[in-house]
Amino acid sequence: EAGVAQSPRYKIIEKRQSVAFWCNPISGHATLYWYQQILGQGPKLLIQFQNNGVVDDSQLPKDRFSAERLKGVDSTLKIQPAKLEDSAVYLCASSPNQWGKGNTEAFFGQGTRLTVV
Amino acid sequence: QQQVKQSPQSLIVQKGGIPIINCAYENTAFDYFPWYQQFPGKGPALLIAIRPDVSEKKEGRFTISFNKSAKQFSLHIMDSQPGDSATYFCAASRPPAAGNKLTFGGGTRVLVKP
């Protein structure tokens, strides 16, 4: 079974520029998560999708971050404009669980390391 | 708001030792407690998980102990090996009806010396 695919692996941008990350979850997984992992910290949930609908975006800085999941499959996360404090690894994860059913085994991609200079 | 507190931040043991990582949570609505292992440059991978109706769970050399009344749980790595050197995260999830949101602890970097 193919894992969660993310691209690019690395990205360096200047502050105030925009950047986009792409995620292809495991086939058939209904739930998709975007996490931000700052160096030395645990992952922090930014947004959670169930199919193509948002079920939790309470920690997403909506003035600069946006995300979408087209047709309930692939997802993109965008930052515009980027700040220095956005430097982190952005992890995408997917889970086979339907909202409200079952436990929560999340499968993670390798992440995109963003450096804002 | 840190809902899952993890300690220690780092741990060094000799091969064969037993690293112990502790986590405490606040939200009594959490009902699923997984541990993730992360190697440098990789995403976290599920290691073992427990539900609050069980006090202990073993999978290979990894054991979770769970104390519901104290709202604490811990990971023990028996007979640790250099290949176990990684960062370990505890996590907690709300009930399925609340959307399966995973909240992570801050992580523990474990180094197992040969």
Side-chain angles (χ1 to χ4, degrees), chain A residues 85-99:
Chain A
E85 58 261 36
D86 298 332
S87 294
V89 174
Y90 290 84
L91 294 163
C92 179
S94 70
S95 169
N97 309 114
Q98 288 287 338
W99 193 88

Side-chain angles (χ1 to χ4, degrees), chain A residues 12-54:
Chain A
I12 301 174
I13 62 171
E14 295 182 349
K15 60 183 180 183
R16 292 187 289 275
Q17 285 188 323
S18 62
V19 64
F21 313 126
W22 173 82
C23 173
N24 180 231
I26 294 173
S27 178
H29 281 194
T31 303
L32 186 146
Y33 310 84
W34 281 102
Y35 282 87
Q36 179 192 58
Q37 186 175 23
I38 294 173
L39 186 64
Q41 298 182 18
K44 182 185 86 170
L45 180 68
L46 293 175
I47 189 167
Q48 178 182 346
F49 290 94
Q50 181 68 31
N51 296 310
N52 61 349
V54 176

